Amino acid sequence: MHDPIYKRLFDSPRMVGDLLQAVGHGDWLDDVDLATLEKQPTERVGDRGQQRRGDAVWRVRFRNGWLYLLVILEFQSSNDHRMALRNLEYTALLYQELARRGELGQPGRWPPVLPIVLYNGDAPWTASLEMRELIAKVADALSPYQPSQRSLLLDERHVAVDDLPRRNLTRAVVGFEQSRTPADITRVATALRGWLGTPQDTELSRAFAAWIRQVAGTMGPEEVARELGETLEEATMTLVERVAQWPEQWRREGMAEGRRQGVAEEREQGLARARALLHRLAAVRFGDATGDQLGLELAATDDADLIEAVGELIVRAESGPDLVNGVAELLRRSH
C-alpha cells in the first residue's frame, strides 16, 4: 500500500526539503540550500544494482559542493538488523555511479552522503544504525580499519508529532502513520489542507488524497474510501461529513434492533453490542487500558442516549484521559 504513495510524495522537492528540515541538525542544516534540491537517477543504486521501489536519491547544495541524500523507505513490521550494511552498500554504489558519470571529484573532495531511513513498523526501531556496531569488538590497533557509517532514522509510528516542525509535511506523514481512527485522519488532513495551497502542490495534494482513501478503507466501511475525492480538499470534506455521521451509524447498528422490537431481551442484546463496539473503538484509538476502563464504566448502563453520547465522545476526544473524563461527566449528569 505504501510504496506507490511514498514514491509520489518523495518525487517532490518540497517533501524532501521538509523531511530534511524535520530530521536535520542545526549544526549543518543552515549550510544547506533547499532551493537547489535535485532528484538523481537511481538505476544503479540499490540491492544488486537495482533500485528498490520507493527509495530515492537527491542532491542539494551544501557549503561549497553537494550533499547527497539517500531516502530509504522501510515498510515492514520488524527492524532490519542489516540496515547499516545495506546503506553502506547503497553509498558505495552511489559513489561508483558518480565516478562513472565523472561527478565524483578529487580525493578529499568527494560529496558527503546522508542516508535517511523512514520506518513505519508497529514495533519501535531497535536495530543499530551504525555499521561499526555490527562488527565484533577488535583490538584498538584494528579498529581504524573497520567500516563505519551511521544512518539517520525517522521512526514514524513512535516519534512524538509535537517534536516535528509545524506546517511541515513530515508532520503530516507521521500524523497519518499514527492515525488510528477516521477522526484522526480527518484532523491531520484538515491541517494539511492549509499547508498545500499553491499550484505547485497539486501532485502532493493528490498523493496525500490517495493515502487518505487507502487508510480510510482499512478503518471503516468500504464505501467511505470509494466516496473520497481525488484531491486533498475533496477527500477531507467527504471524510469530515462521514465521520460526523458515524456515531449515528454505530447507534443504528448497535441499538436500533432493540428499540424497534420493543422487547426487553432484544433491546438488551442491542445495547450489549453497542457497549462492546464502543469498548473496541476506545481501545483501538486510545489503547487497551482506556478501552477496558470505558467498558467497566458502561457495563451497568442501559441508557441508549448515554451510549450514543459516548460514541460521539470517542470521535471527538483528543486523548484517553479526555475521553474518560468526558464519560465520567456524562454519567454524573445521567444520575
Side-chain angles (χ1 to χ4, degrees):
M1 180 178 79
H2 285 80
D3 279 345
I5 293 174
Y6 267 75
K7 184 176 177 63
R8 289 173 66 182
L9 289 176
F10 287 96
D11 269 345
S12 163
R14 180 178 174 189
M15 186 74 246
V16 176
D18 276 17
L19 172 65
L20 198 54
Q21 289 181 306
V23 301
H25 195 280
D27 286 348
W28 53 266
L29 190 57
D30 291 341
D31 295 327
V32 172
D33 182 0
L34 295 176
T36 64
L37 274 164
E38 297 179 3
K39 196 171 188 300
Q40 299 296 292
T42 54
E43 288 79 4
R44 297 174 182 265
V45 181
D47 292 324
R48 299 180 181 177
Q50 299 298 320
Q51 178 192 11
R52 297 194 328 136
R53 288 187 303 164
D55 291 347
V57 179
W58 287 76
R59 72 176 184 177
V60 63
R61 280 292 177 186
F62 177 66
R63 295 175 181 166
N64 295 321
W66 293 101
L67 169 66
Y68 281 80
L69 311 174
L70 297 177
V71 182
I72 311 300
L73 307 179
E74 191 62 12
F75 300 140
Q76 57 185 25
S77 59
S78 59
N79 295 207
D80 183 347
H81 292 277
R82 295 188 295 177
M83 177 59 72
L85 174 60
R86 284 172 46 196
N87 287 344
L88 186 65
E89 178 188 12
Y90 294 161
T91 301
L93 288 168
L94 174 61
Y95 280 134
Q96 290 176 17
E97 176 62 11
L98 292 176
R100 187 188 68 82
R101 301 201 309 247
E103 299 174 8
L104 190 58
Q106 296 299 315
R109 301 285 297 175
W110 290 9
V113 174
L114 175 63
I116 304 176
V117 179
L118 303 186
Y119 168 67
N120 73 339
D122 292 330
W125 184 277
T126 57
S128 175
L129 292 162
E130 167 56 61
M131 180 63 201
R132 188 178 291 268
E133 293 175 0
L134 302 183
I135 301 171
K137 298 294 184 183
V138 297
D140 290 346
L142 290 176
S143 182
Y145 303 104
Q146 309 312 308
S148 177
Q149 183 189 49
R150 179 174 292 276
S151 301
L152 199 161
L153 172 76
L154 179 62
D155 189 342
E156 296 174 339
R157 297 284 179 90
H158 303 95
V159 67
V161 175
D162 287 340
D163 288 344
L164 299 171
R166 294 191 176 277
R167 300 186 67 83
N168 183 295
L169 298 183
T170 307
R171 189 182 179 106
V173 169
V174 169
F176 283 132
E177 289 287 4
Q178 295 185 8
S179 291
R180 304 181 73 175
T181 70
D184 294 337
I185 303 173
T186 301
R187 280 193 291 271
V188 177
T190 301
L192 178 60
R193 282 176 55 198
W195 307 346
L196 296 173
T198 70
Q200 292 78 14
D201 296 326
T202 299
E203 179 54 30
L204 276 173
S205 172
R206 293 185 182 279
F208 276 114
W211 196 350
I212 292 171
R213 288 196 299 275
Q214 291 198 8
V215 176
T218 68
M219 291 184 173
E222 293 182 1
E223 63 267 19
V224 175
R226 289 197 297 268
E227 290 176 5
L228 299 179
E230 289 294 322
T231 69
L232 182 61
E233 182 174 5
E234 293 168 346
T236 306
M237 293 303 295
T238 304
L239 193 58
V240 167
E241 294 171 358
R242 290 306 300 265
V243 168
Q245 296 170 3
W246 279 15
E248 174 65 16
Q249 181 177 332
W250 302 335
R251 184 188 69 79
R252 290 197 307 270
E253 293 177 354
M255 294 178 288
E257 182 179 355
R259 284 183 168 178
R260 184 172 59 252
Q261 295 293 334
V263 178
E265 182 178 354
E266 293 290 340
R267 182 175 186 276
E268 179 52 37
Q269 289 177 356
L271 291 171
R273 285 194 294 272
R275 288 193 295 265
L277 176 60
L278 297 183
H279 182 174
R280 292 196 302 273
L281 290 169
V284 167
R285 183 159 187 219
F286 300 115
D288 291 340
T290 298
D292 291 344
Q293 185 172 355
L294 179 67
L296 291 173
E297 296 283 1
L298 297 180
T301 185
D302 59 357
D303 186 333
D305 292 331
L306 174 64
I307 293 176
E308 182 177 341
V310 171
E312 295 175 357
L313 268 181
I314 293 175
V315 173
R316 297 193 177 100
E318 297 291 337
S319 65
D322 187 24
L323 172 62
V324 171
N325 292 336
V327 172
E329 179 63 20
L330 288 174
L331 290 171
R332 185 186 65 78
R333 292 177 182 176
S334 67
H335 292 322

